[in-house]
Amino acid sequence: MGAHTVTAEKLEAKPLQPLSVRTRLAGTPKNPPKYAVTVSDSAGQPVTVADPRATRALVALMDMHAVNGGAACHWGGPAALAEVSAAIHAVMFSVSGREWHDAYNFINDAGHAENGIYAVRANYGFDGLTFSDLKNFRGIKSKLTGHGESHLNPEGVLLSNGPLGSSLPQAQGLALADGLLKHDRTTLCILSDGAAMEGEAKEALAAIPGLAGKALLAPFVLIISDNDTKLSGRITKDSFSMTPTFESLATLGWNVIKEERGNDLQAVWLALEKSLSAAKQNPAKPVALWLKTVKGRGIKATEDNAAGGHGFPLGNADKLPAWIDEIYNGSAPAEFSTWASELRQQWLDKEAAKKAAPAPTVSGPKKTKIQEGLSKAAIRAVQNGYPVFSVSADLAGSTGIAAFQKTFPDRALDIGIAESNMISTATGLSKLGLIPLVDTFAQFGVTKGLLPLTMTAISQAPVIALFSHTGFQDAADGASHQASTYFAAVSPIPHTTVIALSCADEAEAYLYQAIERIAADRQAGRDGDSVIFFLGRENYPVTWQENAKYEWGKAQILRDGADVTLLTNGPLVGKALAAADELQSAGISATVINSAFVNHIDLPTLTAAVQKTKGRLIVAEDHQLNSGFGAQTFHALINAGVTLNGKSLGIPGVFGQSAYTADELYDKYGLGISGLVSAAKTLL
């Protein structure tokens, strides 16, 4: 490859005319915020802005409702951004003569702080939002999703967010379009310091000033929230300092305006005013407003916490009234104090009812997270002399490998919020004889890590990936975090084995075998295969059957029947067993098979089972129907000449959404117990 030598006659094109795309964003609010404070602009004139204390109080209250529903949510990020969010919205909503969105593109790359934006906008009554609407935050019936999603909330979200660093390059595209079309519009984009570690964010940090310097972009202002904090702790301590990255922005061509007082509303207002003025006066030089913020601001306990209270720290409403008082230093509005007290009383009533009720009978198998098995296997492997090394991207506590890392701290590295870099780093480790483990959420592993995973195989340097929170298991975070194409993404990669885990014992057995197999292959002069494990986030029985055997490449028959075969893996194994029980009560005998090896179908086991049940086969998966486990299974069986009367259950070509629990989503899409039972009956 080299310089292209194509020649063509230059023609004059018609003026660039965009297609007519009607915005669905809600219009400028007619009223000022209900709870407001005043700052002074650079000319000394008063400006009304939403009170950041109200934002923090509303975030705490709405988060408590989500926690009561069974969902996780965020506190630290929105608390850190309360002042800048107040200032940005005051600027945007002060536009006169046209709608706010005609003057500004607003993009929030810090998706974990979207609830803070909901809170500010409810304060304004934007899009008809009320404080009562916030009570349904992250619920399946609400468009106020865990991260901003334009497919569910186009009135409030221009570009969906969630995976950190992804919205910044999209914002670059908005500014480019505005520049090409000569729109009088400024792009405002919020970026967290953690997101700036992502490769796609770094690409945009270089491209935006480069394109602006060629007079291609409309004015652009990037607001960076720098608090040296990520989900698992301090960025500098756990990984490396981001300060040199931010200092390098000036060299890249940004006009860097730094404000150390990122939680001082007056200072933030003046810094934002200065940034907007500079960007509009000279669009060729985009502005990076570098704000030093405090994650978890407003509550001392979260300000002091190493992770800034990233998730909502209160597991119940007992301390919620005290939180509201602390946010307001003892002078909270009555409706917030009353709201918090009502939530606390509801919690107290539930606790009293629990104490008064008879002690529940503990029955059934012991349950735990699948993740426990992963650390057990990795620890045992090191104890037995295998050169295992863990490379993480901030989520070791969620993926389950944290116990291994704490046991062997010299065998672990947190590379920061950078999934592609994590996998590529592991490739280098593997090439020199180590057995690297990488871990993150499934959505980030397959979307940001797909090319590195492919290059790992091409480079003959196998890695072991532990990708958690598959499918609807990350219910509350919404579509951006719900991996629904994970099997389809990685199953076709040559020299790669894909395994869906359903319990802790299975996880321990197969991870240890994966380590053994790579070691044996390398010692024998063979390249070895990468292994990608997918797992959920909830608690499951430690094992699905006593004295279970976990043979590499073999499916497990968990229940033997004669009428229909229920085939699944991962988080739906328990659903299939429960469905088999319900079918049994209706006189229908079901075989239940856990087929963990997704892209290496165990044809002998499946063929025998399907033939026994007269070809009747139900395949269920927490994945899109298109190109998933069902598609691979039916393809393999048909190619083997097996006669089938089958049905495939999965996600029907749609995105998910926030819900308090995964079960709500399974039921919605026919993947719950009743859905499996109904599907089986249709074949009979």
Side-chain angles (χ1 to χ4, degrees):
M1 293 185 291
H4 67 74
T5 58
V6 176
T7 60
E9 179 185 358
K10 289 187 178 180
L11 300 176
E12 185 157 343
K14 294 181 179 180
L16 186 62
Q17 184 67 35
L19 302 173
S20 179
V21 181
R22 181 181 63 86
T23 183
R24 294 174 63 185
L25 289 166
T28 308
K30 304 300 182 186
N31 299 312
K34 180 177 182 179
Y35 294 103
V37 292
T38 301
V39 295
S40 298
D41 65 15
S42 58
Q45 297 300 307
V47 180
T48 299
V49 301
D51 188 344
R53 296 174 301 175
T55 299
R56 292 188 175 98
L58 289 167
V59 166
L61 291 162
M62 66 198 287
D63 279 6
M64 195 73 255
H65 282 280
V67 168
N68 286 343
C73 40
H74 298 101
W75 159 258
L81 288 165
E83 281 76 19
V84 71
S85 188
I88 287 173
H89 281 84
V91 167
M92 295 191 302
F93 292 164
S94 67
V95 171
S96 61
R98 53 179 175 158
E99 292 290 357
W100 70 274
H101 49 72
D102 290 330
Y104 293 99
N105 293 315
F106 173 66
I107 300 90
N108 174 38
D109 187 277
H112 52 272
E114 194 75 13
N115 51 345
I117 294 170
Y118 300 148
V120 171
R121 292 182 173 181
N123 197 2
Y124 276 95
F126 172 86
D127 188 28
L129 276 179
T130 67
F131 291 167
S132 290
D133 291 326
L134 301 180
K135 297 177 181 179
N136 297 315
F137 170 56
R138 289 196 168 207
I140 197 169
K141 296 180 180 179
S142 174
K143 67 179 182 180
L144 303 183
T145 51
H147 295 257
E149 295 179 17
S150 61
H151 76 290
L152 292 175
N153 184 14
E155 298 83 8
V157 180
L158 178 59
L159 291 174
S160 299
N161 58 50
L164 296 178
S166 296
S167 295
L168 174 58
Q170 293 177 328
Q172 170 187 309
L174 290 172
L176 175 60
D178 280 334
L180 294 172
L181 299 170
K182 310 300 181 186
H183 289 165
D184 177 21
R185 182 156 49 201
T186 299
T187 294
L188 290 164
C189 182
I190 295 175
L191 184 76
S192 67
D193 48 357
M197 306 178 87
E198 291 280 13
E200 56 192 316
K202 291 184 182 296
E203 291 174 14
L205 289 174
I208 290 170
L211 295 173
K214 299 176 74 172
L216 291 173
L217 299 191
F220 195 105
V221 176
L222 175 66
I223 300 100
I224 301 169
S225 176
D226 175 16
N227 42 57
D228 193 30
T229 314
K230 52 188 179 65
L231 184 150
S232 61
R234 302 299 178 188
I235 294 175
T236 299
K237 180 177 181 294
D238 293 349
S239 301
F240 50 84
S241 174
M242 288 298 292
T243 297
T245 294
F246 299 140
E247 289 176 340
S248 72
L249 294 179
T251 303
L252 290 174
W254 291 86
N255 176 6
V256 179
I257 296 175
K258 187 174 183 181
E259 175 51 67
E260 296 280 351
R261 299 163 295 171
N263 292 117
D264 181 319
L265 183 57
Q266 179 63 63
V268 168
W269 176 269
L270 293 175
L272 181 61
E273 188 180 29
K274 180 180 178 182
S275 299
L276 286 166
S277 176
K280 291 176 182 179
Q281 287 178 15
N282 184 11
K285 201 170 184 66
V287 174
L289 175 54
W290 179 5
L291 297 174
K292 296 291 289 183
T293 59
V294 177
K295 196 167 182 180
R297 179 75 170 184
I299 299 295
K300 187 177 187 305
T302 54
E303 290 179 12
D304 294 342
N305 180 266
H310 181 87
F312 192 54
L314 299 183
N316 58 59
D318 188 31
K319 296 180 180 179
L320 185 60
W323 262 49
I324 302 302
D325 283 345
E326 184 176 350
I327 289 168
Y328 273 94
N329 197 24
S331 59
E335 69 173 315
F336 293 164
S337 296
T338 300
W339 186 352
S341 295
E342 288 172 351
L343 282 168
R344 182 175 186 272
Q345 189 58 53
Q346 291 169 13
W347 173 74
L348 289 172
D349 292 344
K350 286 182 181 178
E351 290 299 298
K354 287 180 185 177
K355 291 179 181 178
T361 302
V362 178
S363 61
K366 176 187 174 183
K367 290 187 175 183
T368 188
K369 290 190 179 297
I370 298 170
Q371 284 87 332
E372 287 190 13
L374 297 176
S375 271
K376 284 183 179 179
I379 290 169
R380 179 155 58 97
V382 169
Q383 289 174 323
N384 289 337
Y386 291 106
V388 174
F389 193 95
S390 169
V391 185
S392 288
D394 190 38
L395 295 173
S398 298
T399 60
I401 203 64
F404 169 83
Q405 295 181 345
K406 291 181 179 180
T407 303
F408 301 111
D410 294 337
R411 291 287 191 95
L413 171 69
D414 190 321
I415 203 71
I417 304 172
E419 295 81 8
S420 295
N421 191 16
M422 170 185 68
I423 296 169
S424 295
T425 298
T427 301
L429 295 176
S430 176
K431 198 67 179 178
L432 293 187
L434 302 185
I435 302 177
L437 307 180
V438 298
D439 66 282
T440 186
F441 287 2
Q443 178 73 321
F444 308 152
V446 300
T447 55
K448 301 196 176 192
L450 186 55
L451 179 58
L453 286 168
T454 301
M455 294 308 299
T456 286
I458 293 174
S459 297
Q460 303 157 301
V463 303
I464 298 174
L466 314 175
F467 292 162
S468 69
H469 293 56
T470 54
F472 288 146
Q473 286 283 291
D474 196 359
D477 280 330
S480 65
H481 282 50
Q482 291 164 356
S484 66
T485 60
Y486 52 108
F487 292 154
V490 298
S491 289
I493 302 175
H495 312 300
T496 302
T497 298
V498 179
I499 300 176
L501 297 171
S502 63
C503 65
D505 274 8
E506 183 181 47
E508 182 177 0
Y510 285 145
L511 176 55
Y512 193 83
Q513 289 179 51
I515 293 168
E516 285 184 313
R517 290 172 68 87
I518 288 176
D521 281 337
R522 304 305 287 274
Q523 288 165 358
R526 299 185 296 269
D527 297 331
D529 288 356
S530 289
V531 183
I532 302 176
F533 291 99
F534 290 110
L535 56 142
R537 65 172 295 182
E538 298 174 353
N539 290 328
Y540 297 94
V542 175
T543 184
W544 295 107
Q545 57 184 191
E546 290 186 17
N547 303 315
K549 293 183 179 179
Y550 300 102
E551 298 179 55
W552 193 264
K554 296 289 290 181
Q556 284 182 314
I557 298 179
L558 303 178
R559 190 79 57 84
D560 198 13
D563 296 323
V564 64
T565 297
L566 304 180
L567 178 68
T568 189
N569 51 38
L572 296 184
V573 169
K575 304 289 185 191
L577 287 168
D581 289 339
E582 190 168 319
L583 288 167
Q584 186 66 45
S585 66
I588 299 171
S589 172
T591 291
V592 178
I593 299 179
N594 171 25
S595 185
F597 289 78
V598 174
N599 63 342
H600 297 294
I601 305 299
D602 178 6
L603 277 172
T605 300
L606 268 59
T607 298
V610 170
Q611 289 175 341
K612 182 177 180 180
T613 57
K614 302 177 179 61
R616 291 186 285 264
L617 172 66
I618 302 291
V619 181
E621 58 186 310
D622 189 8
H623 185 281
Q624 294 288 343
L625 281 170
N626 191 345
S627 306
F629 170 59
Q632 295 180 58
T633 300
F634 282 111
H635 182 267
L637 289 170
I638 290 170
N639 271 356
V642 180
T643 301
L644 293 170
N645 175 19
K647 188 173 182 62
S648 190
L649 305 180
I651 305 170
V654 298
F655 290 112
Q657 64 183 91
S658 285
Y660 290 155
T661 66
D663 279 348
E664 292 178 282
L665 294 166
Y666 292 147
D667 289 340
K668 179 174 180 176
Y669 294 108
L671 296 171
I673 297 168
S674 62
L676 287 165
V677 169
S678 176
K681 288 181 177 179
T682 62
L683 297 186
L684 292 161

